């Protein structure tokens, strides 16, 4: 057995599998009591700065649930932290930037990332996790995409309407493109360093890109997504492109160079896959709120996602967004059991 033979890697490459692989966005942390026990004495950032602890937290969901992939425990803010941007990750709020980006001088202050010097602990965590996983299941590395990072930098924290972000984008297009250039360089350096340290696949989280129209996506974001996937293509590992609320953007995102497209729950997996094209793999797309429902509802909704995948090679089961903090541990197990029991009808190669 090598990692290339694993269910996740085979599905990501659209090769036939004996059953659908499954992992969960935000599986590390949040819902696990064993994670909360670690978090009682350390902040999220402190966990990531202690590679042995970071590895332990990454492996917790693997041990507890038997998921088919591990995801590195880190945050999308790490490249910014590494480049010296002052920020906190506040409980129940998310990232808060001390000095939001509002003018040219703020953009110019963003220096390039040197992963080995700036984030050695992340790379060391990857090496420890890879050793611990041996050849059992793959490790997914990730980065936040330039638009989502820009939104946090400009707003200073999470937002519902992205008003400051878009006002900046429309009013100062040249400065916007400078900011996106710098973030793109950081993301490429960070993802390449993760691959060199041993991750088996990379996911680009453009969580908030669904706030844009297709036309604005094409003008203000897509060139950078394309540059990132272009720069990673030679790695030869699965590249996943994910955003929330992207039903209207999927046709564009599918042309950006990722081999796997993440799908949220606002569109049926069958409809999404048709738009993305069957020459790409898809990942998704159970509504995370289904895990707050009774078991019979969970079973029904999991089977619905699997039925929509139609047994076609190239489906990785996941949620449409991350696990919610209030999700019962048993609901996560139930999703996995239902997938394991599902009789897979493979349609061709
Ligand atoms: O998926 C995983 O299990 C790996 C770990 C991971 C974290 N953040 C750890 C974390 C990943 C992949 C992320 C990505 C991330 N971080 C995204 C993209 C994914 C998405 O959900 O859209 C975004 C937008 C962030 C920014 C961020 N960090 C938010 C919005 C929050 C939530 C704030 C809250 O408390 O509800 C965080 C904090 C965070 N990052 C937590 C975890 C486990 C939860 C709080 C904690 O344990 O301290």
């Amino acid at each position: 057995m090598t990692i290339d033979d694993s269910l996740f890697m085979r599905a990501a490459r659209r090769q036939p599998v004996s059953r659908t692989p499954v992992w969960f966005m935000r599986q590390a942390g949040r819902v696990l009591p064993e994670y909360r026990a670690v978090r009682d004495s350390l902040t999220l950032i402190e966990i990531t700065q202690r590679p042995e602890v970071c590895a332990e937290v990454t492996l917790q969901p693997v041990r507890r649930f038997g998921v088919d992939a591990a995801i590195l425990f880190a945050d999308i803010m790490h490249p910014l932290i590494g480049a010296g941007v002052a920020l906190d990750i506040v409980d129940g709020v998310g990232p808060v930037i001390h000095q939001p980006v509002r003018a040219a001088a703020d953009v110019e202050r963003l220096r390039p990332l040197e992963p080995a010097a700036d984030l050695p602990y992340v790379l060391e965590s990857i090496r420890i996790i890879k050793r611990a996983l041996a050849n059992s299941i793959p490790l997914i590395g990730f980065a936040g995409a330039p638009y989502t990072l820009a939104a946090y930098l400009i707003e200073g924290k999470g937002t519902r309407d992205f008003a400051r972000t878009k006002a900046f984008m429309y009013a100062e297009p040249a400065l916007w493109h400078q900011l996106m250039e710098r973030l793109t360089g950081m993301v490429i350096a960070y993802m390449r360093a993760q691959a060199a340290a041993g991750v088996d696949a990379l996911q680009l989280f453009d969580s908030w890109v669904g706030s844009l129209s297709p036309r604005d996506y094409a003008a203000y974001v897509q060139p950078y997504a394309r540059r990132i996937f272009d720069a990673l293509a030679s790695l030869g590992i699965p590249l996943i492109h994910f955003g929330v609320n992207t039903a209207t953007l999927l046709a564009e995102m599918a042309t950006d160079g990722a081999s796997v497209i993440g799908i949220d729950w606002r569109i049926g997996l069958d409809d999404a896959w048709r738009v993305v094209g069957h020459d790409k793999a898809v990942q998704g797309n159970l509504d995370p709120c289904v895990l707050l429902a009774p078991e019979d509802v969970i079973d029904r909704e999991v089977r619905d996602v699997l039925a929509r995948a139609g047994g076609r090679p190239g489906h990785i089961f996941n949620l449409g967004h991350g696990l919610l903090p209030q999700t019962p541990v048993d609901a996560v197990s139930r999703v996995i059991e239902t997938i394991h029991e599902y009789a897979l009808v493979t349609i061709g190669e």
Side-chain angles (χ1 to χ4, degrees):
M1 251 295 275
T2 67
I3 288 294
D4 283 326
D5 302 319
S6 66
L7 294 171
F8 173 92
M9 294 298 272
R10 290 188 58 85
R13 293 176 166 143
R14 294 188 303 112
Q15 297 163 344
V17 284
S18 52
R19 68 162 169 79
T20 303
V22 53
W23 70 280
F24 300 89
M25 292 185 280
R26 295 303 189 91
Q27 69 188 18
R30 277 201 160 171
V31 306
L32 290 179
E34 55 268 36
Y35 170 74
R36 298 220 180 95
V38 175
R39 267 288 270 123
D40 277 346
S41 55
L42 297 171
T43 67
L44 186 143
I45 291 171
E46 285 168 349
I47 291 174
T48 63
Q49 290 169 339
R50 290 161 172 73
E52 296 288 345
V53 182
C54 180
E56 165 60 22
V57 163
T58 299
L59 296 171
Q60 282 173 347
V62 176
R63 286 193 213 109
R64 160 93 67 153
F65 298 122
V67 283
D68 297 306
I71 180 160
L72 172 70
F73 187 82
D75 195 78
I76 58 167
M77 291 294 127
H78 270 96
L80 299 177
I81 295 169
V85 175
L87 61 88
D88 300 306
I89 297 182
V90 178
D91 288 351
V93 174
V96 177
I97 312 289
H98 294 191
Q99 242 189 303
V101 169
R102 299 283 155 81
D106 303 319
V107 175
E108 276 150 25
R109 254 201 319 276
L110 265 185
R111 67 158 173 86
L113 182 74
E114 291 173 42
D118 295 330
L119 297 169
Y121 47 90
V122 174
L123 305 179
E124 180 58 15
S125 298
I126 291 171
R127 289 186 282 263
I128 295 173
I129 298 160
K130 279 298 294 175
R131 239 176 281 136
L133 287 173
N135 275 334
S136 57
I137 59 163
L139 173 64
I140 302 168
F142 71 93
Y147 178 78
T148 292
L149 296 178
Y152 279 111
L153 282 173
I154 295 167
E155 306 280 345
K157 55 180 164 45
T159 167
R160 292 176 75 86
D161 55 17
F162 298 86
R164 275 187 189 275
T165 307
K166 293 190 202 177
F168 188 115
M169 190 176 90
Y170 293 131
E172 308 263 14
L175 198 53
W176 171 264
H177 286 294
Q178 274 182 42
L179 174 59
M180 293 293 278
E181 292 273 349
R182 284 183 192 231
L183 293 170
T184 298
M186 295 169 83
V187 167
I188 291 172
Y190 184 50
M191 290 182 117
R192 293 195 69 97
Q194 290 183 51
V199 301
D200 302 292
L202 283 164
Q203 175 154 331
L204 187 69
F205 279 96
D206 209 349
S207 300
W208 312 136
V209 76
S211 56
L212 294 176
S213 69
R215 211 154 50 87
D216 286 345
Y217 179 73
Y220 297 104
V221 174
Q222 190 164 43
Y224 307 100
R226 289 187 170 167
R227 207 181 305 161
I228 291 167
F229 290 119
D230 223 46
L232 302 176
S234 65
L235 297 172
I237 62 177
L239 303 174
I240 310 165
H241 195 184
F242 168 77
V244 182
N245 230 328
T246 54
T248 57
L249 302 181
L250 289 173
E252 288 301 327
M253 288 170 67
T255 69
D256 292 346
S259 46
V260 183
I261 306 296
I263 312 293
D264 91 344
W265 66 90
R266 293 173 181 83
I267 178 171
L269 192 76
D270 46 351
D271 292 334
W273 209 343
R274 214 173 298 120
V275 172
V276 161
H278 295 132
D279 59 333
K280 298 259 181 306
V282 289
Q283 176 174 279
N285 74 339
L286 186 68
D287 187 333
C289 294
V290 167
L291 277 72
L292 310 178
E295 286 194 339
D296 57 318
V297 177
I298 295 178
D299 291 357
R300 184 189 73 208
E301 296 302 316
V302 168
R303 287 202 193 92
D304 182 67
V305 171
L306 290 167
R308 286 172 194 272
R312 183 179 280 113
H315 176 222
I316 299 162
F317 196 101
N318 206 311
L319 306 180
H321 198 184
L323 282 167
L324 295 166
Q326 66 270 40
T327 307
V329 168
D330 288 347
V332 180
S333 302
R334 185 69 186 199
V335 171
I336 292 173
E337 279 161 27
T338 306
I339 294 166
H340 286 191
E341 284 162 13
Y342 191 83
L344 191 69
V345 195
T346 306
I347 305 171
E349 288 266 36

